[in-house]
Amino acid sequence: MLRLGRREFDAHEPVIMAIVNRTPDSFYDQGATFRDEPALARVEQAVSEGAAIIDIGGVKAGPGEEVTAEEEARRTVGFVSEVRKRFPDVVISVDTWRHEVGEAVCEAGADLLNDAWGGVDPRLAEVAARYGVGLVCTHAGGAEPRTRPHRVTYEDVMADILSVTLGLAERAVELGVPRESVMIDPGHDFGKNTRHSLEATRRLGEMVETGWPVLVSLSNKDFVGETLDKPVKERVVGTLATTAVSAWLGAQVYRVHEVAETRQVLDMVATIAGHREPAVARRGLA
């Protein structure tokens, strides 16, 4: 059982986390949801299309203009509060590595801290424990926030992923984060080249076998683009193919841009696997 905010999710229930970037320079939409009105419209659309989690980010992952903790909080805290008011049942996640921002968004009503940079600020887990919120424990290969990998190597990339994420998850629980609210994430593209991310996908079942819920953030990433030699706006098909493989291997939470399309893929895989009934089953029965 995965428990986040007011929601509980069964082990075989796929969960969509919709991305809402409060940045003027995000790699995918170049700031389309930087202002409040389009960002709130995006939340409403995502929820209507089947997203259970809204992931709010105030700093883009890649290199760019410096964003202080104060500016990151300015972009996210008020928005978290407004989403909490308008959508009381949605799970609110905030993508941050900074404990100061984590503290502020938890005060505003966040249910989950999505630490995409692998515990670079160890105090973030302490914040999650203090507020009783969930935590995403990610493998980033020791990379500093907002840096790109350069000639990174692993003896065994999945062994490293498991060592790091399980260590972060156990530490979080020891600090007081509810065990049922902790997820592990292989960190596609973070501290990895394309071959590393492909291997992490291929071996995702090893993470699932640990018993921790697995979150994957695949949406339109560079490893998809390099695999198919496609620019950012032409990576949806590759993303959905990777999503289907990840779902078959047992990942539970999917951080995405395209909610409706992802919902169909996850429902199809879940039905093939026998975890969901077809929406309609009339063929051959009339």
Side-chain angles (χ1 to χ4, degrees), residues 81-268:
S81 180
E82 187 63 24
V83 173
R84 178 80 295 148
K85 182 169 67 176
R86 296 194 187 195
F87 304 90
D89 294 325
V90 77
V91 177
I92 299 177
S93 169
V94 175
D95 181 352
T96 186
W97 74 88
R98 293 166 164 149
H99 75 274
E100 306 97 323
V101 177
E103 184 107 32
V105 297
C106 285
E107 284 286 346
D111 304 299
L112 175 65
L113 297 176
N114 181 12
D115 181 8
W117 290 103
V120 67
D121 181 350
R123 294 176 66 185
L124 187 65
E126 297 172 13
V127 171
R130 189 158 60 251
Y131 284 88
V133 303
L135 183 69
V136 179
C137 300
T138 307
H139 179 273
E144 288 295 314
R146 307 193 67 194
T147 62
R148 298 196 188 281
H150 179 67
R151 296 183 180 178
V152 62
T153 60
Y154 298 95
E155 233 178 83
D156 182 328
V157 67
M158 183 50 74
D160 204 81
I161 289 169
L162 289 170
S163 174
V164 170
T165 58
L166 297 182
L168 291 170
E170 292 293 352
R171 175 180 181 267
V173 172
E174 288 172 6
L175 288 170
V177 180
R179 178 173 284 272
E180 64 274 16
S181 303
V182 176
M183 291 173 278
I184 58 174
D185 177 355
H188 289 81
D189 276 0
F190 281 58
K192 300 171 188 66
N193 61 32
T194 289
R195 293 184 186 278
H196 293 144
S197 292
L198 291 170
E199 182 173 351
T201 306
R202 188 162 55 246
R203 298 174 62 185
L204 205 61
E206 295 176 43
M207 296 187 75
V208 174
E209 287 170 4
T210 67
W212 295 98
V214 175
L215 179 150
V216 287
S217 183
L218 312 168
S219 197
N220 303 295
K221 283 196 167 178
D222 285 347
F223 83 96
V224 175
E226 288 194 355
T227 298
L228 302 176
D229 193 17
K230 294 293 184 183
V232 170
K233 293 297 183 180
E234 296 178 25
R235 298 176 184 176
V236 175
V237 173
T239 296
L240 294 176
T242 313
T243 298
V245 171
S246 300
W248 188 256
L249 292 174
Q252 185 168 15
V253 182
Y254 300 80
R255 183 178 181 272
V256 305
H257 297 98
E258 286 83 19
V259 175
E261 295 87 342
T262 302
R263 183 77 270 164
Q264 288 189 48
V265 169
L266 296 178
D267 285 350
M268 193 70 202

Side-chain angles (χ1 to χ4, degrees), residues 34-67:
F34 184 47
R35 294 186 300 108
D36 285 352
E37 286 185 12
L40 288 166
R42 160 70 175 160
V43 173
E44 185 170 9
Q45 178 187 10
V47 171
S48 71
E49 291 177 347
I53 307 172
I54 300 297
D55 191 48
I56 299 164
V59 187
K60 78 169 186 175
E65 184 179 340
E66 180 186 0
V67 180

